[in-house]
Amino acid sequence: MHHLIRPAVIALFALAASTASAAVTVTYVNTEKMTDVPRFETDRKSMEINFREFFEELATKLPAGQDLKVEILDIDLAGDVFPRVPIRDVRVTKGSYDFPRIHLRYSIEQDGKVLRSGDRELADRNYQLNVNSYRNEMYNYEKQMLSEWFKKDVLAEN
């Protein structure tokens, strides 16, 4: 019985090593001073976590051993906010000048070396006209824009 356990443990470690995901570091630079983020701290923190998890999801598409680092410099979420009761705001999208914008700096690293990097000011003026793969998720317009950037700018260089 003992001779069966050892190969199984080795196989599990090999599987874990082969499916190891890329390291992702997301930093928000002065979130309180950004153009348009949720005004309540708990909502801002929730937004940060939501985008961090999204970048982690995107990074799974990178080749093995490559890591993603992102600095979020500014965010202007889709729509306009209408303050409501003290505990919740309402965000309304009209499709005109309220399109999503995100300014970010990124780098892709492998073995401590920067393979590529850039500073991008993303905007999607046609955000309500595009096909959106994230339509049932929070920050769906921003996620669609980030997904397109990742495919065109990051994965295209691999």
Side-chain angles (χ1 to χ4, degrees), residues 39-139:
R39 68 180 171 136
F40 297 112
E41 185 178 351
T42 54
D43 293 337
R44 261 196 323 271
K45 294 294 180 196
S46 175
M47 178 201 69
E48 290 176 6
I49 291 167
N50 199 303
F51 282 130
R52 183 174 291 114
E53 289 173 349
F54 187 68
F55 280 111
E56 289 171 355
E57 180 184 318
L58 291 174
T60 62
K61 299 171 184 157
L62 288 171
Q66 292 187 6
D67 300 324
L68 173 65
K69 291 187 179 182
V70 178
E71 281 182 288
I72 306 293
L73 305 172
D74 193 20
I75 297 175
D76 186 352
L77 296 171
D80 293 316
V81 173
F82 293 93
R84 296 276 309 224
V85 216
I87 58 168
R88 185 66 57 194
D89 291 338
V90 175
R91 184 170 291 278
V92 177
T93 58
K94 298 177 206 155
S96 54
Y97 293 101
D98 61 355
F99 54 91
R101 292 176 278 246
I102 297 178
H103 182 193
L104 58 83
R105 208 177 289 135
Y106 78 97
S107 66
I108 305 297
E109 300 179 8
Q110 187 167 13
D111 300 325
K113 293 181 182 179
V114 176
L115 301 177
R116 62 194 164 283
S117 62
D119 186 301
R120 301 291 184 266
E121 293 189 33
L122 309 174
D124 186 359
R125 294 181 187 276
N126 297 316
Y127 74 101
Q128 288 188 321
L129 301 174
N130 299 332
V131 174
N132 192 322
S133 305
Y134 306 95
R135 68 178 176 266
N136 294 325
E137 295 184 29
M138 195 150 192
Y139 308 112

Side-chain angles (χ1 to χ4, degrees), residues 7-20:
V9 170
I10 291 171
L12 281 174
F13 278 117
L15 179 63
S18 68
T19 60

